[in-house]
Amino acid sequence: QVQLDESGGGLVQAGGSLRLSCAASGRTANAMGWFRQAPGKEREFVAAISRSGGFTRYADSVKGRFTISRDNAKNTVYLQMNSLKPEDTAIYYCAADPESPLLGRMTDGYNYRSWGQGTQVSVSS
């Protein structure tokens, strides 16, 4: 069982930055990821990282602006969000404990068994 504690959301102006953190407790997770959901929209993949941190994946919409990283000593994953845009506004969820360790499944939200409570990110123009 993996429990996730998210933090770092907030209100920022377009072009600003935020860093989201997700601390996991319990059994060490394999891959971990970030997903987001805007009002009236489906949950979408944002970024994912393998257990060692050696492989990362990003949605095209955030590539070059966001960076996912992890500190396995703290069992924590981070999402550094730079050059934020209004369209980044959403609730961001941390995900962990994938059923499949395959790299090709890291971007699939249905593959994750543990989820954080979500943290709101709002970007104004």
Side-chain angles (χ1 to χ4, degrees):
Q1 178 65 46
V2 178
Q3 294 182 320
L4 305 173
D5 184 17
E6 300 163 329
S7 62
L11 300 170
V12 296
Q13 199 171 42
S17 298
L18 286 172
R19 190 182 76 155
L20 307 184
S21 299
C22 176
S25 61
R27 188 177 179 84
T28 301
N30 198 349
M32 296 180 70
W34 289 96
F35 295 76
R36 67 187 183 188
Q37 187 169 20
K41 296 184 178 180
E42 295 289 330
R43 179 185 62 193
E44 66 175 353
F45 166 75
V46 177
I49 188 167
S50 63
R51 58 183 168 182
S52 69
F55 296 90
T56 58
R57 289 289 307 279
Y58 298 93
D60 288 341
S61 59
V62 307
K63 197 173 299 181
R65 300 187 297 118
F66 292 8
T67 302
I68 188 170
S69 62
R70 67 190 302 164
D71 182 345
N72 286 343
K74 291 186 173 182
N75 212 21
T76 299
V77 66
Y78 305 94
L79 185 67
Q80 179 65 46
M81 310 164 69
N82 298 327
S83 301
L84 283 163
K85 304 175 180 179
E87 51 262 46
D88 295 319
T89 296
I91 300 175
Y92 284 69
Y93 298 93
C94 177
D97 194 22
E99 293 183 7
S100 173
L102 298 176
L103 296 178
R105 293 269 281 147
M106 288 199 306
T107 62
D108 182 5
Y110 294 106
N111 190 39
Y112 293 94
R113 294 177 287 195
S114 298
W115 293 84
Q117 79 284 357
T119 183
Q120 178 71 49
V121 172
S122 298
V123 185
S124 64
S125 59

